[in-house]
Amino acid sequence: MLATDTNKHWNIGYISGAFDMFHMGHLHLIRRSKERCNKLIVGVLTDELISKRKNKWPTIPLKERLEIVGALKYVDEVDVTTEPLIYKFTALEKYGFDVMFSGDDHLADGWGHDEEELKAVGVDLVFFPYTQEVSTSRLQEITLPPRAEHADMARRMDAGIHYLFPFDKVDKNERIIIYGIGKVGEQYARQLSALDFCKVVAFADTYAKPGDIFEGKRCLTPEEVRFFAKDYDRIVIASTVYHSQILSRLRSLGIEPGRII
């Protein structure tokens, strides 16, 4: 139902979203939701889940997005939305809410069917007007135009590109190591080669052995990456599933977090 169609007030409300590059549209949604319930729980999507659903890494990492959302006076509880929790009944089982809030931009995403299913178990799905003037995608285009331009070109390369290189995280002409030699790493390398955006100086992989080669370049073991420090600017993790585990491994080896994407 549309929020304008009812004056109902609920006990526990729930919202889930990326909340990347937090803006007034996010604030309006969260504030309006809190006005209609006693307790508001907000789920924040993981970096990996955003990458999988939107084909790009968020501009703001999960830890910072959680801190931003959790600092709002309208939010009573903030939690990480992992992939199982994007399914509304899994989230309902965990949080026990009696209303789920969303922007009405999701009405076209098939959420009408979800509304009927939730209603059958006594839970309402309520839509607030979407703030048309601003969006995270629009902010990224304005603030990161050269990277956004390369991202758009990458999408048009061919239909086989399913994993978009995180152009919004890397500066043009930086020297990078791509960590991961699976399908994602292969597609990242293809995009960078075709678009001449930055230089791949090496690859790395958890299961690499000394002397391995991938795409004509040296493939480093995690331990070897430590001794390659002067030869690269960034390490780009090419995995949508094991990103967090790889990040932790690299940090444990003493690699500066700011150099890892």
Side-chain angles (χ1 to χ4, degrees):
M1 73 177 79
L2 298 177
T4 52
D5 292 340
T6 180
N7 292 320
K8 189 174 179 179
H9 191 91
W10 294 266
N11 184 31
I12 301 176
Y14 176 70
I15 315 171
S16 181
F19 302 108
D20 189 22
M21 297 187 75
F22 196 89
H23 54 69
M24 286 303 296
H26 297 142
L27 183 61
H28 289 328
L29 175 61
I30 290 174
R31 184 181 63 234
R32 289 166 178 165
S33 299
K34 176 58 178 176
E35 289 171 351
R36 305 295 289 273
C37 65
N38 297 325
K39 177 181 179 180
L40 181 63
I41 302 169
V42 180
V44 180
L45 273 63
T46 65
D47 297 343
E48 295 84 355
L49 191 50
I50 293 172
S51 174
K52 183 175 181 179
R53 292 167 68 86
K54 298 189 176 184
N55 208 20
K56 60 182 179 181
W57 282 102
T59 303
I60 309 299
L62 174 62
K63 182 179 178 181
E64 295 178 20
R65 289 184 286 117
L66 283 168
E67 191 169 342
I68 290 167
V69 173
L72 298 174
K73 66 180 181 180
Y74 309 109
V75 177
D76 298 294
E77 181 182 336
V78 64
D79 197 13
V80 177
T81 297
T82 56
E83 184 159 10
L85 290 171
I86 64 173
Y87 301 101
K88 296 173 178 59
F89 281 94
T90 305
L92 175 60
E93 183 178 354
K94 179 174 183 178
Y95 301 115
F97 52 82
D98 49 7
V99 62
M100 184 173 185
F101 298 109
S102 176
D104 63 5
D105 54 312
H106 285 296
L107 280 170
D109 295 346
W111 282 38
H113 180 67
D114 294 329
E115 182 176 2
E116 291 302 315
E117 290 187 338
L118 287 170
K119 190 174 182 180
V121 295
V123 177
D124 291 317
L125 181 56
V126 175
F127 298 94
F128 289 100
Y130 179 68
T131 304
Q132 299 288 343
E133 296 82 8
V134 65
S135 71
T136 296
S137 296
R138 177 59 180 151
L139 288 175
Q140 288 172 330
E141 290 173 5
I142 293 171
T143 57
L144 306 168
R147 299 169 184 179
E149 177 184 353
H150 277 82
D152 187 56
M153 286 191 290
R155 288 190 184 95
R156 298 198 303 265
M157 279 178 59
D158 65 60
I161 295 295
H162 300 293
Y163 303 100
L164 185 65
F165 181 82
F167 292 98
D168 56 337
K169 297 283 190 179
V170 177
D171 290 329
K172 185 175 173 61
N173 298 323
E174 282 192 314
R175 302 165 303 162
I176 69 165
I177 293 175
I178 295 178
Y179 194 111
I181 57 174
K183 178 71 72 176
V184 182
E186 179 186 339
Q187 292 195 4
Y188 281 4
R190 285 175 53 203
Q191 293 169 53
L192 294 177
S193 175
L195 301 176
D196 191 29
F197 183 75
C198 58
K199 182 180 180 180
V200 179
V201 296
F203 290 86
D205 194 79
T206 302
Y207 301 104
K209 299 183 295 295
D212 278 358
I213 300 294
F214 182 73
E215 295 285 318
K217 296 186 182 294
R218 186 176 176 184
C219 184
L220 308 170
T221 67
E223 291 74 18
E224 287 177 322
V225 172
R226 289 186 298 176
F227 306 107
F228 218 67
K230 294 182 179 179
D231 298 308
Y232 72 90
D233 300 301
R234 308 269 189 171
I235 299 173
V236 178
I237 299 174
S239 174
T240 59
V241 177
Y242 300 108
H243 188 276
S244 295
Q245 294 94 318
I246 295 170
L247 178 62
S248 296
R249 176 75 183 281
L250 292 173
R251 287 181 174 180
S252 73
L253 291 171
I255 296 170
E256 299 173 21
R259 300 181 75 180
I260 308 170
I261 297 170

